Amino acid sequence: MHTDQQYIDALRQNDEKLIAKIYQNHAPGIKAYLQSKGASTEDAGDIFQEAILDVYKLALDEKFVLSCPLEAFLLLVCKRKWINQREKFKRQGVTKSLDIGFPSIADDDDHKAAADVDRVEKENLVMTMLHRISERCREIIIAAYSGWHQEKLANEMGVSYAYLRKKKSQCMAELIKLVRNGG
Amino acid sequence: MNNFDAIEDYINGDLSGQDRIAFETRLKTDIDLQKDYQDWVNTENILKKHLSAQDKTIQLKSTLQPLTKKYFSSQKPEARLVSIKSAWLAAAAVAAIFIIYFSLPGGVDHFSTPEMPQAIVRGDENLANKGALLFNEGHYNEALPLLQQQAIGKPDDATANYFYAVCLVKTDRYEEALPLFLNLSKGVSAYKVDASFFAAYAAYKTNKKEDALKYAKMVPENNPYFKNAKKIIQKLN
């Protein structure tokens, strides 16, 4: 386990002091990197913040362990986000040759870190697509997976339990198809 | 019954013993069903994970927001006192806007209405919560006097002023909304950029072409209202 794992715990616990340290230690370097790739200061800020949130989403899985320095991991996430945002080089992974002077990930850890980033990108895609399906479907899915008992939910929505189940499976199919098509 | 209906029944435990065995047998051999089942399970796990963490994610965002501003701001922010509650509300509201943000089909009038935070309000619960509740339910005429009272009582509270101004827009009172949005868009609150869009929109609705263009152009590409702002620019050019 990497010593930077303490920052993963800090995100889980919303530890303001340690989270401020993440910014203090890593924001300037990653900002410089993103700006060197053409991002504005505001773009860099948005991407950095999204990257921290992505790390947090990964950290929601209790078993998540950081396999490399946090800065290198954040840089990988930010780089992918910037590339995706620019829509120039979709999913081409790490471009180390362009990144002399910036932290990179050791080869052994590269695969795991990239897999983690893939995973959180997939999760983000599902949540983005959730907001593209019909409003009724979104309501049903959010309620169904926010701990509502389905019979109670059907009652609340004024529909039969059978209808709700049928509708939910249609909504899930709609969502899954959108995710498969990448939106 | 299609694959997804069968999967829903299977996962819910609604299949009879015989149907359950038949489903499991099919699952071993039917490649399409395997894929649909796997995708369903993965999607379900992601939804459960993210939806159950929504409150904590909003709290974390409220920690990150000022830090992002501090380390990534291109302008030196004006000195200003912001209460913890206001910052919390602002961050939560921004998060709520993103949560409810859908792909917008276009058209100047088709914009997503932000959701006003209510459950996390501390102090003035009754007034704030009632106004927020009515606003979120789309009862803008009823919400308006309550939000107005909030905004008048707290002229420096960006959240109160922002939602009061949005409520004015939703009740077609663009002339009154415009100065509030102009003020917010010149400030440093979390609503600064969103307010620029609404300023552009209110100016557009009151035939103030120059202001509409000026503020629409201030909405950056990564903002949820960018598409709407672009539509205003297209309409006016």
Side-chain angles (χ1 to χ4, degrees):
Chain A
M1 189 185 297
H2 197 275
T3 50
D4 281 353
Q5 184 69 20
Q6 61 172 322
Y7 296 113
I8 303 302
D9 297 333
L11 291 172
R12 285 181 180 132
Q13 289 152 19
N14 197 5
D15 178 333
E16 293 183 16
K17 265 192 183 171
L18 275 180
I19 292 172
K21 219 169 169 192
I22 296 175
Y23 274 78
Q24 191 187 331
N25 293 344
H26 308 312
I30 290 179
K31 181 178 167 185
Y33 171 81
L34 290 168
Q35 285 179 325
S36 77
K37 302 293 173 200
S40 67
T41 310
E42 284 74 21
D43 285 338
D46 289 342
I47 289 172
F48 186 81
Q49 185 174 309
E50 281 175 24
I52 301 252
L53 285 167
D54 280 358
V55 176
Y56 170 68
K57 287 170 199 165
L58 288 166
L60 288 172
D61 292 328
E62 282 176 20
K63 289 178 186 165
F64 176 71
V65 172
L66 200 59
S67 59
C68 61
L70 179 63
E71 185 175 20
F73 190 76
L74 281 173
L75 185 67
L76 176 63
V77 179
C78 288
K79 193 184 302 184
R80 295 262 292 251
K81 282 186 179 295
W82 178 241
I83 288 171
N84 287 341
Q85 193 167 315
R86 300 305 299 169
E87 291 184 354
K88 280 182 183 169
F89 315 104
K90 278 191 180 163
R91 310 232 174 216
Q92 285 190 3
V94 185
T95 51
K96 285 182 183 169
S97 59
L98 298 173
D99 302 334
I100 297 158
F102 291 100
S104 61
I105 299 170
D107 285 346
D108 289 349
D109 301 323
D110 200 348
H111 183 72
K112 185 191 177 302
D116 285 335
V117 179
D118 281 343
R119 184 152 61 89
V120 78
E121 280 181 355
K122 173 81 188 290
E123 291 181 10
N124 287 339
L125 180 63
V126 169
M127 297 313 289
T128 302
M129 291 307 117
L130 178 63
H131 295 287
R132 298 246 176 107
I133 60 177
S134 65
E135 200 172 345
R136 182 72 163 166
C137 271
R138 188 166 45 252
E139 259 176 35
I140 289 172
I141 289 182
I142 288 175
Y145 292 115
S146 298
W148 277 73
H149 190 277
Q150 292 210 35
E151 285 187 46
K152 197 180 166 198
L153 176 61
N155 196 31
E156 201 62 36
M157 296 180 90
V159 297
S160 70
Y161 175 52
Y163 171 84
L164 179 72
R165 276 174 37 224
K166 174 82 184 161
K167 187 71 188 165
K168 186 188 151 202
S169 74
Q170 283 172 1
C171 296
M172 283 293 279
E174 193 186 332
L175 177 60
I176 288 167
K177 280 172 192 164
L178 272 174
V179 172
R180 281 176 185 165
N181 294 333
Chain B
M1 187 184 282
N2 68 37
N3 282 353
F4 290 108
D5 290 342
I7 292 166
E8 163 74 2
D9 285 349
Y10 176 72
I11 286 179
N12 260 349
D14 289 332
L15 290 180
S16 67
Q18 215 171 5
D19 289 342
R20 186 174 183 84
I21 291 167
F23 179 87
E24 285 170 350
T25 307
R26 227 185 104 206
L27 193 55
K28 284 177 189 160
T29 53
D30 186 331
I31 292 169
D32 287 340
L33 181 61
Q34 283 170 5
K35 176 149 181 52
D36 288 344
Y37 180 76
Q38 203 48 57
D39 284 350
W40 179 293
V41 171
N42 290 340
T43 305
E44 192 170 72
N45 288 337
I46 291 167
L47 289 166
K48 280 180 187 165
K49 174 180 153 182
H50 284 250
L51 292 172
S52 66
Q54 250 179 9
D55 289 349
K56 282 189 172 178
T57 307
I58 290 173
Q59 284 172 23
L60 177 62
K61 275 183 188 171
S62 73
T63 303
L64 302 183
Q65 214 103 41
L67 289 165
T68 303
K69 209 165 219 175
K70 180 178 169 188
Y71 284 91
F72 291 89
S73 177
S74 50
Q75 295 166 350
K76 202 177 173 189
E78 296 163 27
R80 187 179 166 201
L81 284 174
V82 179
S83 71
I84 291 170
K85 190 187 91 178
S86 298
W88 218 115
L89 279 168
V94 169
I97 289 165
F98 276 88
I99 288 165
I100 62 163
Y101 169 56
F102 333 121
S103 154
L104 297 169
V108 173
D109 296 306
H110 294 124
F111 55 82
S112 59
T113 306
E115 192 168 83
M116 188 167 179
Q118 45 172 323
I120 42 96
V121 174
R122 302 280 182 273
D124 288 340
E125 281 90 346
N126 290 339
L127 186 61
N129 274 344
K130 200 173 172 196
L133 193 66
L134 288 166
F135 180 91
N136 291 339
E137 285 174 351
H139 303 306
Y140 302 113
N141 284 316
E142 292 91 318
L144 194 62
L146 297 176
L147 299 184
Q148 183 184 30
Q149 209 175 324
Q150 278 277 295
I152 290 171
K154 296 176 181 173
D156 290 325
D157 186 328
T159 303
N161 278 280
Y162 176 73
F163 282 94
Y164 170 49
V166 174
C167 201
L168 285 168
V169 162
K170 299 300 285 185
T171 48
D172 298 337
R173 294 163 71 166
Y174 305 109
E175 286 282 7
E176 290 167 72
L178 184 56
L180 293 170
F181 285 128
L182 292 180
N183 200 28
L184 285 162
S185 82
K186 285 171 193 157
V188 290
S189 74
Y191 304 103
K192 182 181 169 69
V193 181
D194 292 0
S196 294
F197 160 69
F198 279 106
Y201 182 72
Y204 172 80
K205 295 299 252 184
T206 48
N207 295 319
K208 296 182 177 69
K209 187 179 167 183
E210 214 176 292
D211 276 346
L213 278 172
K214 179 179 163 190
Y215 287 95
K217 283 175 185 170
M218 285 164 69
V219 181
E221 208 170 330
N222 60 358
N223 184 272
Y225 295 112
F226 175 71
K227 285 182 188 173
N228 304 91
K230 210 170 148 189
K231 283 276 170 197
I232 291 176
I233 296 167
Q234 282 166 355
K235 284 258 181 194
L236 294 176
N237 279 331

